[in-house]
Amino acid sequence: MPDAPTPFAGTYDYVIAGAGSAGCVIANRLSANPSNRVLLLEAGGRDNWIWFHIPVGYLFAIGNPRSDWMFETVSQAGLNGRALNYPRGKVLGGSAAINAMITMRGQAADYDAWRDLGLSGWGWEDVQPVFRDLEDHFLGESADHGTGGDWRVEAPRVHWDILDAVRAAAVEMGIPSTPDFNTGDNEGAGYFHVNQKAGRRWSAARGFLKPASNRPNLRIETGALIESVSLEGARATGLVFHLSGQRFQVKAEAETILSAGSIGSVQILQRSGIGPAEALKAAGVQPVHDLPGVGANLQDHLQQRAIYKVSNTVTLNQTYYSLFGKAKMGLDYLFRRRGPLTMAPSQLGIFTRSSTAHERANIQFHVQPLSLDKFGDPLHRFPAITVAACNLRPSSRGHIRISGPSIEAAPVIDPNYLDTEEDRQVAADAIRVTRQLMQQAVLAPFEPDEYLPGPDYPDDDLARAAGDIGTTIFHPVGTAKMGPKSDPNAVVNDKLQVRGIDALRVIDASVMPTITSGNTNTPTIMIAAKGADLIARG
């Protein structure tokens, strides 16, 4: 048994584990009431590196131990035995400091499905006003969007002719053009709206935490690695954490809140003895509360990253390796806050159906004017674009497990990609749709030439191709899912309270019962805003 932890200085009503997208919002909202004493603990560091703020910095942040937890999955049978890097942000703002900056709510039907599970207050009519109130949107005040909120949304500040042509190709094959993916139905082709302000990344830390950071009732500690939840019987009383080589215990007078994400919150719960009893025993942890759903129900968006060589146009691949091109990019950013240094990883989005069997858009394309083998690797030296299609609503389910009781033990991450026949079919069909898109007449002047998956994969062998080129789009959710009392695998109720443990909530992407149909950061921020409101209402 380790020595008893040292009491941490200060008295707090709320102690929050994790200053990612959710934790920043919760700290902001709870500390807005001056009578609340709030402690926010973040295991990563401060967001004081230039590449956290220049949008294209994701190229340098992902795969860098300064900014990324550097997780890996176990080998995936559905990916023909490959394991994947699994980036997660290691800094104030969490993954919002290194992600694609794409603001995407998903589809109204996603949230109505949550409501229909018996989760009161989580239907589209319930969450749409929350999304709207969060926003400071460049389109202005409307029924769909709001202004004056903390979550800045802008149009992209870079343009590529080849992306205009791909959008035209989507329209040519019957996909409608859309100016806005965030009205409840995102089917269409258009440019993503981004979380930026004047050409700088607008992370959750910048939008929600910085404005609150000088409040006298909010304390923020970085480099604080959470070990476990402190329990007295069936009540959470605070957290045990490590900071500057010391082991501390801090008490939460009102509630303890886990907002460490779909991997981090699970690790904390399981190290605390809360989770599937047999799995905890196998990891050397004595079970305290048998809760089978902790770590189960892992869902992620798997993309098939098709790459096409192109001609007669400019892509970032050429510009990146040109001294003149680099200088031009730098000057464009320095003087106008425009150009490639402002670009999100993907600029053009296409939401459509992989086949007529689907009633609503079930695949999403991220189209990029660049190509590389994987994030963290250099760009290719030939002109190319990436046309990546992901299954929006996978039926495969994976899990997260701790590998041991130590905070140093790496998590076991098993997304179980392409486990179901349905997912394998959607993946194969998505590659077929990609090929159809790139064969449209409007793209002929650019002579698209399929580099990945390539001609070695005929149309009748695309499930194997999906296994060979599939990779994560960095959207793990669902590992501490919301559910009604009748669901034996539910971890939290519709108020985000952990079942069977008083004064403990999980508020982050892990509570999603099913993944949303699009990028998951903005839905996570919505969940945090609703969660903070639920806490405030008691």
Side-chain angles (χ1 to χ4, degrees), residues 203-366:
S203 72
R206 189 178 175 201
F208 296 95
L209 193 57
K210 186 176 180 180
S213 60
N214 290 324
R215 292 173 182 165
N217 60 328
L218 173 62
R219 180 173 179 177
I220 303 165
E221 291 287 346
T222 57
L225 192 59
I226 311 300
E227 177 184 310
S228 60
V229 178
S230 301
L231 297 167
E232 292 181 5
R235 181 180 178 83
T237 58
L239 294 169
V240 176
F241 65 98
H242 297 242
L243 178 66
S244 301
Q246 286 188 270
R247 184 168 176 260
F248 292 99
Q249 184 171 33
V250 63
K251 187 172 184 181
E253 300 286 349
E255 292 195 39
T256 301
I257 302 158
L258 302 186
S259 297
S262 292
I263 299 172
S265 290
V266 166
Q267 290 177 283
I268 296 167
L269 286 169
Q270 291 185 358
R271 284 197 295 261
S272 307
I274 302 169
E278 294 306 313
L280 297 185
K281 291 177 186 176
V285 173
Q286 180 62 39
V288 173
H289 179 48
D290 185 13
L291 203 55
V294 175
N297 192 48
L298 173 61
Q299 299 157 63
D300 189 13
H301 288 140
L302 183 78
Q303 62 179 352
Q304 283 69 54
R305 288 184 64 250
I307 294 174
Y308 283 80
K309 294 182 177 180
V310 292
S311 303
N312 307 315
T313 190
V314 175
T315 71
L316 188 61
N317 290 13
Q318 297 116 294
T319 307
Y320 182 79
Y321 289 108
S322 161
L323 289 177
F324 174 76
K326 284 183 177 178
K328 184 180 178 182
M329 285 193 296
L331 291 171
D332 202 13
Y333 187 77
L334 180 64
F335 290 107
R336 300 198 310 144
R337 288 290 189 266
R338 292 187 176 275
L341 292 185
T342 70
M343 62 186 276
S346 303
Q347 294 75 52
L348 180 67
I350 303 170
F351 289 80
T352 188
R353 308 173 200 211
S354 61
S355 75
T356 56
H358 298 272
E359 294 183 357
R360 54 188 170 112
N362 73 307
I363 58 173
Q364 174 185 5
F365 284 90
H366 289 82

Side-chain angles (χ1 to χ4, degrees), residues 46-117:
R46 297 271 169 185
D47 59 339
N48 54 2
W49 185 34
I50 189 172
W51 293 119
F52 290 138
H53 304 289
I54 296 177
V56 82
Y58 71 90
L59 286 171
F60 310 104
I62 292 176
N64 185 328
R66 173 176 182 166
S67 47
D68 182 354
W69 283 105
M70 307 290 287
F71 294 138
E72 294 182 356
T73 71
V74 299
S75 62
Q76 297 291 289
L79 302 185
N80 303 327
R82 292 184 298 126
L84 299 180
N85 294 333
Y86 218 64
R88 295 284 89 196
K90 185 182 178 183
V91 61
L92 288 176
S95 294
I98 67 172
N99 72 356
M101 296 164 283
I102 293 170
T103 189
M104 185 65 59
R105 297 174 180 177
Q107 298 170 5
D110 299 331
Y111 302 97
D112 288 344
W114 294 5
R115 177 201 62 203
D116 293 345
L117 291 172

Side-chain angles (χ1 to χ4, degrees), residues 79 84 86 88 104-107 110 186 298-305 351 361-364 366 388-397 415 417-418 423 470-477 512 514-521 523:
L79 302 185
L84 299 180
Y86 218 64
R88 295 284 89 196
M104 185 65 59
R105 297 174 180 177
Q107 298 170 5
D110 299 331
N186 55 18
L298 173 61
Q299 299 157 63
D300 189 13
H301 288 140
L302 183 78
Q303 62 179 352
Q304 283 69 54
R305 288 184 64 250
F351 289 80
N362 73 307
I363 58 173
Q364 174 185 5
H366 289 82
C390 75
N391 181 356
L392 288 172
R393 294 182 295 279
S395 55
S396 300
R397 297 290 184 268
Y417 294 121
L418 301 179
D423 285 356
T471 188
T472 176
I473 206 167
F474 318 135
H475 295 164
V477 307
M512 294 187 191
T514 52
I515 196 166
T516 52
S517 299
N519 308 73
T520 53
N521 191 49

